[in-house]
């Protein structure tokens, strides 16, 4: 097969890669924050929610800094070609751009000297932290001051002098940062990594800096697609072969994520090949279906990477769904990541359960990868995105080869079909056929080599898919041996190639992860035998178990109110991730999830200040995570910070456009702001994303009921009942609506149904009892029964208030007074309960001092409450204590901003005749 036949394909692939790299490579920040007083904020491009500015925060073009009440200092270099930048003191706010030469409201603090902000290294704006190592995990060579000075002394005059000045101030992280960048520029990567490492220890919560250190230590090699020949690396002695093989046919969230047909079967057969003498693997970790969680894939591979040595070869094979995350249109600053969807992926936010191809690339081809050779075969849609390598100097001993099932475009689909030996992916079938038959081997050669295997697989896949699928080669040495035919492989049936053309009508339904899935009535294959994966070290097994348990809490959170959320659940989640962190100390990925659980728990505890702090720190560590933004929005909503809540929910939606819960929360925010039409639109949008979740039409029905749009409310409640006939909430809401509209018989029937449902939450049971009691209390014959249901609710405040009011209406003044006193023991801050209690005491001829005591007791907790002060003035006036009454009314007048209340109080003051006190 002539190479010239692929020249046009190669040119197209290179063009795609160049355009992709332009969007994905690291970017030079415009500077970083040196010092930030409390109240300073950083608003990141593409993110609406400001975060607290901290020393070490890097700023990029479009970001906005605000100094808060103090003075913020930051290092700034708008022009990368400038010889020096500036240090600014900022009073106010500024949006940073590459063309901004002066800072409005800022002033230059001092000359920068050897510290030049223009030397800041290029960094990722929004790194994926899934496999970012912590400072405790990075294997950085430590250099003494003397060793560093010796390395610097060998440099040219200019960098030597600058570095010597910078390294004199070892306690200044700003100078260390610039020193590290200069060392990196001088190709002293180990010394640069040590300086960056010390900065990262000072500036915690900087995952982009940790990732830069990791990339510096594991700089990716430069891939050539049938490019120019290069020197043959020296032969290595035979080592061991280790492999991670993943195949996911069945997804936990099916049918929301369509099952594939043959992916696990592909992986199982590939694992069989690797275990054969020809495959030669010493250890194969095979993760089919339910075993292929993101935690298992990540931890097992890292374990293999630690185990494999410089003589060894590591294989990675994956057959699964692939996609670009997040889906849909994203705002500026929110980057898309090509990823592999793991078994538990939820389409509302698949970021939680995916492995980015960038991470897989770092695992397999990092410059500091300890193993000698890498083999990569990915049978997923968009697999060509794996080829994202930056032009870095290649390790002279690195040996890599792979073929990716597709190219890198948005229409890059992989096909599977039963034509291929009863059912395989087209790519995997021909890959295994080439490794196990003579078809991809040169006559007389004892090996299948990279060039022949690549050409064979590529042309066969293109032919059988009528050029709908185009594999991407990834090869450094075209002549390298891939399979040794002196050894036995696996049996492979050689069906004539002309019989394997996928019919055109099936090309639209046989995609692996494409837009169209197999028809719903197609027979589904049985899942592959789920062989237990090779047992790894105890720490690996423990990490996987912990991460899977913690991940389940996040998956439940995606369901919003569909699954009742509790403080205990998030407290347990925090403990799980804390335990996982003991095995992987300082991991940004695990720390972000622990902080999320901690923040949600604190919201339940109503410790909103600490909750916001925890959630902001979670976002700082994992800026791609939608769930932390949503939780932050809930914390803001609970404290009536509606504008902040709105921004946080919008940020969550940007990162997970298909997630219904933040859209629901955004609707609730607009509802509480009185923006009802917008709230209705939000709920409708949420229902489009999750049409099977009952809580969305249920909450929209509550909004319609509030607006007295009864027919629409009833429609939503009945829709919610149809979706969740076993949930009491919509039945209770429908009964409440019917009672309000005078249909007590229907209301009683629906509320009795709600009460009869087993397995309800305590809150749902209390709401059903309460509303049922309201209906019963309307008739004297069933009033005592109503009291029974209210009393069953214990301290449920709506029932406590309704019972007190009902007792008062029925002339049971003494019992009503006792009931209001009970309420005040539960919620002493309740103004309504105090006023009702005083009214009852006044009508029941209680001593006036008792009324005064009740009001003064409330004022002890809230001395400036205008409502209580006004009522105290009225009671004192009626008691003939005019002087005290006037004093209370004057204080109430000072405390209220309500014009109606002010007018009423002034009128009462004019009516008082002040009697001098003797």
């Amino acid at each position: 097969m002539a190479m010239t036949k692929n020249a046009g394909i190669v040119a197209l692939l290179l063009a795609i890669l160049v355009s992709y790299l332009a969007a994905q490579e690291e970017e030079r920040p415009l500077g970083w924050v040196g010092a930030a007083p409390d109240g300073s904020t950083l608003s990141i491009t593409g993110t609406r929610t400001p975060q607290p500015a901290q020393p070490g925060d890097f700023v990029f073009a479009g970001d906005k800094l605000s100094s808060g009440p103090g003075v913020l200092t930051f290092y700034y270099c708008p022009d990368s070609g400038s010889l020096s930048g500036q240090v600014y003191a900022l009073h106010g706010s500024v949006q940073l751009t590459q063309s901004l030469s002066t800072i409005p409201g800022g002033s230059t603090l001092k000359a920068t000297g050897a510290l030049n902000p223009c030397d800041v290294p290029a960094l990722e704006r929004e790194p994926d932290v899934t496999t970012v190592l912590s400072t405790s995990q990075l294997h950085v060579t430590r250099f003494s001051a003397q060793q560093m000075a010796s390395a610097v002394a060998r440099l040219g005059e200019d960098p030597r002098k600058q570095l010597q000045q910078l390294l004199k101030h070892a306690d200044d992280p700003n100078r260390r940062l610039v020193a590290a960048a200069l060392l990196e520029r001088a190709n002293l990567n180990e010394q640069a990594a040590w300086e960056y490492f010390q900065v990262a220890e000072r500036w915690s919560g900087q995952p982009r800096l940790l990732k830069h250190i990791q990339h510096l230590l594991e700089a990716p090699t430069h891939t050539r697609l049938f490019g120019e020949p290069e020197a043959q690396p020296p032969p290595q002695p035979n080592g061991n072969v280790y492999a991670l093989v993943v195949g996911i046919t069945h997804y936990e969230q099916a049918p929301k994520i369509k099952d594939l047909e043959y992916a696990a079967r592909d992986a199982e057969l590939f694992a069989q090949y690797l275990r054969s003498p020809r495959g030669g693997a010493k250890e194969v970790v095979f993760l089919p279906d339910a075993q292929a969680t993101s935690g298992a894939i990540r931890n097992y591979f890292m374990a293999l990477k630690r185990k494999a040595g410089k003589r060894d070869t590591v294989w990675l094979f994956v057959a699964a769904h692939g996609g670009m995350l997040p889906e849909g249109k994203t705002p500026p600053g929110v980057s898309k990541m090509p990823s592999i969807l793991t078994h538990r992926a939820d389409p509302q936010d698949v970021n939680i359960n995916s492995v980015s191809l960038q991470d897989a690339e770092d695992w397999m081809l990092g410059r500091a990868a300890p193993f000698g050779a890498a083999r990569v075969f990915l049978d997923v849609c968009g697999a060509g995105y794996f080829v994202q390598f930056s032009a870095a100097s290649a390790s002279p001993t690195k040996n890599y080869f792979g073929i990716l099932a597709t190219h890198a475009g948005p229409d890059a689909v992989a096909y599977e079909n039963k034509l291929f030996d009863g059912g395989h992916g087209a790519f995997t079938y021909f890959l295994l056929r080439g490794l196990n038959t003579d078809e991809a081997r040169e006559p007389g050669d004892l090996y299948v080599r990279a060039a022949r295997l690549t050409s064979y697989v590529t042309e066969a896949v293109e032919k059988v898919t009528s050029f709908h699928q185009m594999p991407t080669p990834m090869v450094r040495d075209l002549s390298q041996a891939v399979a040794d035919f002196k050894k036995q492989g696996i049996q492979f049936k050689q069906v004539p190639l002309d019989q394997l053309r996928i019919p055109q009508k099936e090309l639209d339904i046989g995609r692996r992860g494409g837009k169209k899935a197999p028809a719903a009535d197609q027979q589904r294959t049985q899942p592959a035998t789920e062989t237990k994966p090779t047992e790894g070290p105890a720490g690996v097994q423990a990490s996987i178990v912990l991460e899977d348990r913690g991940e389940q809490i996040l998956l439940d959170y995606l369901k919003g109110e569909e699954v009742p959320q509790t403080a205990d659940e998030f407290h347990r989640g925090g403990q799980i991730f804390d335990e996982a962190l003991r095995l992987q100390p300082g991991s940004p990925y695990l720390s972000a999830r622990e902080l999320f659980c901690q923040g949600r728990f604190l919201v339940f505890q109503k410790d909103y200040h600490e909750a916001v702090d925890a959630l902001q720190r979670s976002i700082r560590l994992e800026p791609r995570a939608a769930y932390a933004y949503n939780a932050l929005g809930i914390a803001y909503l609970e404290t009536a910070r509606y504008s902040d809540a709105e921004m946080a929910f919008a940020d969550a939606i940007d990162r997970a456009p298909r997630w219904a819960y933040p859209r629901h929360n955004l609707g609730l925010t607009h509802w509480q702001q009185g923006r009802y039409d917008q709230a209705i639109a939000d709920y409708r949008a949420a229902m489009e994303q999750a049409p099977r979740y009952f809580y969305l039409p249920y909450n929209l029905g509550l909004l319609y009921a509030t607006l007295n749009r009864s027919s629409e409310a009833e429609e939503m409640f009945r829709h919610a009942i149809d979706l969740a006939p076993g949930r009491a909430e919509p039945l209770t809401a429908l009964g409440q609506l019917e009672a309000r509209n005078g249909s007590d018989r229907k209301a009683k029937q629906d509320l009795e149904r709600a009460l009869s449902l087993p397995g309800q939450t305590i809150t749902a049971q209390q709401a059903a009892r309460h509303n049922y009691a309201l209906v019963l209390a309307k008739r004297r014959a069933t009033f005592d029964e109503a009291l029974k249901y209210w009393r069953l609710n214990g301290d449920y405040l709506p029932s406590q208030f309704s019972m007190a009011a009902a007792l008062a209406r029925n002339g049971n003044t003494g019992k009503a007074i006792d009931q209001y006193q009970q309420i005040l023991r539960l919620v002493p801050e309740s103004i309504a309960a105090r006023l009702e209690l005083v009214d009852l005491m006044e009508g029941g001829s209680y001593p006036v001092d008792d009324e005064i005591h009740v009001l003064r007791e409330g004022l002890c907790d809230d001395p400036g409450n205008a409502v209580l002060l006004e009522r105290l003035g009225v009671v004192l006036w009626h008691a003939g204590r005019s002087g005290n009454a006037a004093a209370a009314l004057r204080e109430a007048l000072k405390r209220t901003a309500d014009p109606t209340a002010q007018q009423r109080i002034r009128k009462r003051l004019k009516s008082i005749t002040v009697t001098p006190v003797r």
Side-chain angles (χ1 to χ4, degrees):
M1 301 179 185
M3 291 294 179
T4 54
K5 185 172 182 179
N6 289 319
I9 294 173
V10 173
L12 174 61
L13 289 171
L14 286 171
I16 293 171
L17 291 174
V18 167
S19 64
Y20 183 76
L21 286 170
Q24 292 295 320
E25 62 187 9
E26 292 178 330
E27 177 183 345
R28 187 188 71 84
L30 300 184
W32 69 93
V33 175
D38 290 343
S40 300
T41 60
L42 169 61
S43 299
I44 297 173
T45 302
T47 301
R48 298 168 176 82
T49 308
Q51 65 182 36
Q54 294 181 0
D57 279 342
F58 293 96
V59 291
F60 294 83
D63 293 349
K64 181 180 178 181
L65 279 172
S66 297
S67 63
V71 178
L72 180 148
T73 61
F74 69 101
Y75 297 82
Y76 180 55
C77 177
D79 183 2
S80 60
S82 175
L83 296 178
S84 64
Q86 297 290 344
V87 183
Y88 279 96
L90 180 65
H91 310 264
S93 301
V94 63
Q95 188 163 18
L96 303 174
T97 67
Q98 292 175 324
S99 60
L100 190 65
S101 57
T102 60
I103 303 297
S107 57
T108 304
L109 279 180
K110 56 187 176 182
T112 57
L115 197 165
N116 180 4
C118 297
D119 289 325
V120 66
L123 301 168
E124 290 186 27
R125 275 183 178 253
E126 195 175 66
D128 181 355
V129 299
T130 307
T131 54
V132 172
L133 302 178
S134 69
T135 53
S136 66
Q137 297 169 306
L138 286 166
H139 299 298
V140 177
T141 303
R142 296 172 179 264
F143 291 88
S144 67
Q146 184 177 358
Q147 290 171 322
M148 189 67 74
S150 176
V152 169
R154 295 193 293 269
L155 300 176
E157 182 178 1
D158 289 343
R160 183 180 71 247
K161 287 182 177 179
Q162 189 177 356
L163 277 164
Q164 286 171 343
Q165 290 184 53
L166 291 167
L167 293 172
K168 286 180 183 177
H169 304 275
D171 60 339
D172 183 356
N174 304 292
R175 292 177 181 271
R176 279 197 181 278
L177 175 68
V178 175
L182 292 174
L183 290 165
E184 180 180 354
R185 190 181 302 170
N187 291 321
L188 296 176
N189 285 1
E190 289 187 337
Q191 290 85 349
W194 171 233
E195 293 299 318
Y196 284 133
F197 180 85
Q198 294 174 89
V199 176
E201 286 190 312
R202 288 283 298 275
W203 291 342
S204 61
Q206 288 295 334
R208 57 167 66 95
L209 192 56
L210 293 173
K211 191 155 193 177
H212 185 72
I213 298 171
Q214 199 166 323
H215 282 171
L216 190 64
L217 296 173
E218 301 185 3
T221 57
H222 181 54
T223 298
R224 292 172 174 81
L225 304 179
F226 293 110
E228 68 276 13
E230 57 183 24
Q232 175 75 17
Q236 295 291 325
N238 290 332
N240 294 318
V241 174
Y242 299 94
L244 175 63
V245 178
V246 178
I248 309 172
T249 294
H250 303 301
Y251 280 81
E252 186 175 87
Q253 297 293 327
K256 292 189 291 184
I257 289 183
K258 295 289 186 182
D259 278 348
L260 296 173
E261 292 193 278
Y262 310 115
R265 189 167 185 252
D266 283 345
E268 185 176 36
L269 193 61
F270 201 87
Q272 288 179 19
Y273 165 74
L274 288 170
R275 293 188 182 111
S276 73
R278 187 175 298 171
K282 177 181 180 180
E283 180 176 318
V284 178
V285 174
F286 172 42
L287 300 176
D289 289 333
Q291 295 179 33
T293 64
S294 53
I297 293 170
R298 190 172 72 91
N299 282 282
Y300 271 118
F301 191 88
M302 299 306 285
L304 285 181
K305 186 172 177 178
R306 288 190 295 269
K307 184 179 296 185
K310 291 184 178 180
R311 297 180 179 183
D312 300 331
T313 300
V314 173
W315 290 62
L316 175 65
F317 175 88
V318 180
H321 274 299
M324 290 295 289
L325 309 177
E327 297 178 342
K329 187 177 179 181
T330 55
V334 178
S335 57
K336 287 178 175 286
M337 288 294 294
S339 296
I340 299 163
L341 306 191
T342 62
H343 168 72
R344 307 177 79 187
D346 188 309
Q348 291 194 88
D349 187 6
V350 290
N351 281 296
I352 292 175
N353 313 87
S354 63
V355 175
S356 79
L357 292 186
Q358 179 66 62
D359 279 335
E361 173 201 307
D362 288 345
W363 294 346
M364 293 300 294
L365 298 167
R367 182 174 183 176
F371 44 85
R375 301 286 183 261
V376 182
F377 302 97
L378 304 181
D379 199 347
V380 300
C381 288
Y385 279 112
F386 187 91
V387 188
Q388 300 171 15
F389 314 110
S390 59
S393 58
S395 169
T397 59
K398 177 62 71 176
N399 181 319
Y400 60 85
F401 169 64
I403 313 174
L404 314 172
T406 73
H407 67 283
D411 60 341
V413 294
Y415 289 88
E416 52 182 2
N417 198 279
K418 63 184 178 182
L419 283 173
F420 306 120
D421 196 23
H424 282 291
F427 169 76
T428 300
Y429 172 80
F430 284 108
L431 174 62
L432 286 167
R433 183 163 170 166
L435 290 169
N436 290 284
T437 71
D438 292 328
E439 293 175 340
R441 184 162 62 99
E442 285 281 359
D445 196 342
L446 295 176
Y447 298 92
V448 166
R449 300 187 184 273
R452 290 280 300 182
L453 182 61
T454 299
S455 293
Y456 170 77
V457 172
T458 300
E459 293 191 4
V461 169
E462 289 173 347
K463 182 177 180 181
V464 300
T465 64
S466 300
F467 294 91
H468 283 66
Q469 181 175 339
M470 181 190 299
T472 297
M474 186 185 71
V475 59
R476 176 174 180 172
D477 173 19
L478 297 173
S479 65
Q480 64 184 292
V482 183
D484 184 353
F485 271 65
K486 299 190 300 296
K487 299 177 181 179
Q488 183 69 39
I490 59 175
Q491 295 295 319
F492 210 93
K493 184 178 180 181
Q494 291 178 261
V495 177
L497 294 178
D498 290 342
Q499 298 179 19
L500 296 178
R501 184 73 61 90
I502 298 177
Q504 186 65 39
K505 65 180 181 180
E506 295 185 29
L507 287 173
D508 289 334
I509 64 172
R511 300 180 175 194
R512 173 158 293 172
K515 294 179 181 177
K516 295 184 180 179
D521 58 353
Q522 278 188 285
Q523 185 175 0
R524 196 168 80 173
T525 60
Q526 294 297 315
T529 303
E530 296 204 347
T531 309
K532 286 188 176 181
T534 304
E535 290 296 320
V540 174
Q541 296 293 321
S543 292
I544 293 169
V545 170
L546 289 169
E547 288 186 38
D548 286 350
R549 286 168 55 198
E551 192 175 76
Q552 185 59 55
I553 291 170
L554 296 181
L555 290 172
D556 289 341
Y557 183 64
L558 289 182
K559 298 178 175 65
E561 294 180 9
E562 195 76 7
V563 175
Q565 299 178 24
T566 66
D568 288 345
E569 186 75 356
F570 291 109
H571 184 256
R572 185 171 65 87
Q575 291 177 322
I576 290 169
F577 286 116
D578 180 66
E579 190 174 348
L581 280 164
R582 295 175 193 172
L583 300 173
Q584 301 178 50
S587 162
Y589 169 73
L590 296 174
S591 296
R593 296 186 171 200
E594 180 199 30
L595 286 165
F596 160 75
C597 290
Q598 179 184 332
R600 282 296 290 134
F601 173 74
L602 290 167
V603 168
F604 277 98
Q605 303 304 113
K606 302 190 183 301
D607 189 349
Y608 299 114
H609 177 77
E610 292 299 323
V612 167
D613 178 70
L615 294 166
Q616 286 174 334
R617 286 190 288 145
S618 177
I619 289 168
R620 180 179 294 275
L621 289 170
E622 193 175 8
R624 295 170 183 263
Y627 55 82
Y629 277 105
N630 185 69
L632 181 61
I634 292 172
Y636 287 146
L637 183 58
E638 291 278 343
T639 52
R641 293 173 59 178
Y642 298 124
S643 178
D644 291 333
E646 191 172 358
M647 290 189 291
F649 293 137
D651 281 331
I653 293 167
D654 286 342
R655 283 154 180 78
R658 297 180 64 182
W659 189 15
Y661 193 32
R663 294 182 186 274
H664 158 270
N665 291 330
L666 187 60
L668 185 57
T669 305
H670 290 147
W671 178 359
Q672 295 193 14
Q673 290 175 295
R675 296 156 63 182
Y676 302 122
D677 289 343
Q678 200 163 353
I680 291 169
D682 294 329
Y683 280 119
R684 292 285 184 184
M687 289 167 62
E688 288 180 9
Q689 297 301 331
R692 301 301 303 170
Y693 281 177
F694 91 93
Y695 81 91
L696 298 171
Y698 163 67
N699 279 282
L700 179 54
L702 294 177
L703 173 55
Y704 281 137
T706 301
L707 299 176
N708 290 319
R709 293 166 62 169
S710 296
S711 60
E712 292 161 296
E714 181 177 350
E715 179 187 0
M716 288 298 104
F717 292 146
R718 293 195 182 280
H719 181 40
I721 292 167
D722 289 341
L723 292 174
R727 293 294 293 263
E729 293 93 328
L731 277 166
T732 299
L734 179 61
Q736 184 181 23
L737 179 70
E738 290 164 337
R740 191 180 74 182
N741 291 335
S743 301
D744 288 347
R745 183 180 60 81
K746 291 182 179 179
K748 190 175 178 182
Q749 290 175 345
D750 287 323
L751 290 165
E752 285 172 347
R753 281 180 59 196
L755 287 168
S756 69
L757 293 174
Q760 303 302 303
T761 64
I762 292 174
T763 302
Q765 292 173 17
Q766 289 174 328
R769 288 192 206 109
H770 172 70
N771 283 281
Y772 188 59
L774 287 175
V775 175
L776 295 175
K778 290 182 179 181
R779 300 178 58 206
R780 184 167 294 277
T782 54
F783 183 76
D784 289 341
E785 189 179 358
L787 293 178
K788 180 187 73 173
Y789 278 99
W790 276 326
R791 290 189 178 113
L792 280 174
N793 272 353
D795 294 342
Y796 185 65
L797 284 176
S799 293
Q800 294 279 338
F801 273 98
S802 294
M803 182 159 51
L807 287 167
R809 283 197 309 270
N810 281 272
N812 297 320
T813 304
K815 290 183 179 180
I817 288 174
D818 291 342
Q819 187 61 38
Y820 279 119
Q821 288 174 335
Q822 169 66 15
I823 292 171
L824 288 175
R825 284 191 286 272
L826 294 172
V827 280
E829 69 275 13
S830 174
I831 305 303
R834 289 193 183 278
L835 296 177
E836 292 290 345
L837 179 56
V838 169
D839 282 345
L840 287 172
M841 286 178 166
E842 192 174 40
S845 301
Y846 277 70
V848 71
D849 286 342
D850 288 355
E851 299 173 43
I852 293 171
H853 173 75
V854 170
L855 294 169
R856 290 195 185 280
E857 192 176 50
L859 287 167
C860 286
D861 294 329
D862 188 3
N865 189 285
V867 175
L868 291 177
L869 286 165
E870 182 183 359
R871 188 57 185 273
L872 178 61
V874 172
V875 171
L876 290 167
W877 182 17
H878 291 165
R881 304 176 190 179
S882 302
N884 292 337
L889 290 169
R890 289 192 189 100
E891 187 65 21
L893 187 61
K894 286 195 304 184
R895 299 287 186 171
T896 184
D898 181 4
T900 303
Q902 289 173 345
Q903 183 179 8
R904 185 175 61 246
I905 293 169
R906 288 192 184 99
K907 184 176 179 180
R908 282 173 173 157
L909 280 168
K910 287 181 181 179
S911 303
I912 295 176
T913 301
V914 180
T915 303
V917 179
R918 294 180 182 178

